[in-house]
Amino acid sequence: MVEIGHVAGFVVDDETWAIRYIEVLTRNWWPGKKVLVSPSWIQKVSWTESKVYVGLWRDAIKSAPAFAESAPITREYEDRLHTHYGRPPYWLQDAETQGRPFVERRLGRGQSPS
């Protein structure tokens, strides 16, 4: 597994309070960039090492749809992100497990605890 960066914050669904994405700073190998990673992509958490492991490669992260902190996270952006990584989108899984129709909405950002 490859180190991709440090947790900088979270993107939270303001209706359900679910953490939809983890904001990761890639400054150790890709300066000045921040990427989004879904919690469902986490493979392992090591509390003793303070590390979270995801099954993504640096090349895939570099070529992912650009994340602009100043722009809203739209369903179009999320769809491109999930398609890029070949991962199923959470909104389809949520609709299936909760028996409700898909509703598009924008997500808000939270900061990681200091």
Side-chain angles (χ1 to χ4, degrees), residues 82-97:
H82 286 264
T83 299
H84 173 77
Y85 289 122
R87 306 292 174 102
Y90 69 84
W91 57 89
L92 295 180
Q93 295 169 351
D94 288 356
E96 287 175 10
T97 59

Side-chain angles (χ1 to χ4, degrees), residues 40-105:
S40 66
W41 304 341
I42 293 173
Q43 293 182 325
K44 174 184 164 185
V45 175
S46 171
W47 296 104
T48 57
E49 297 175 340
S50 296
K51 292 188 177 186
V52 176
Y53 298 91
V54 294
L56 303 173
W57 294 101
R58 286 182 176 179
D59 288 343
I61 291 168
K62 272 188 161 183
S63 63
F67 169 60
E69 196 169 353
S70 60
I73 298 171
T74 63
R75 188 50 49 93
E76 177 188 4
Y77 171 80
E78 289 182 288
D79 191 46
R80 286 187 291 128
L81 187 68
H82 286 264
T83 299
H84 173 77
Y85 289 122
R87 306 292 174 102
Y90 69 84
W91 57 89
L92 295 180
Q93 295 169 351
D94 288 356
E96 287 175 10
T97 59
Q98 297 175 7
R100 63 180 189 199
F102 153 74
V103 176
E104 182 168 341
R105 60 182 176 266

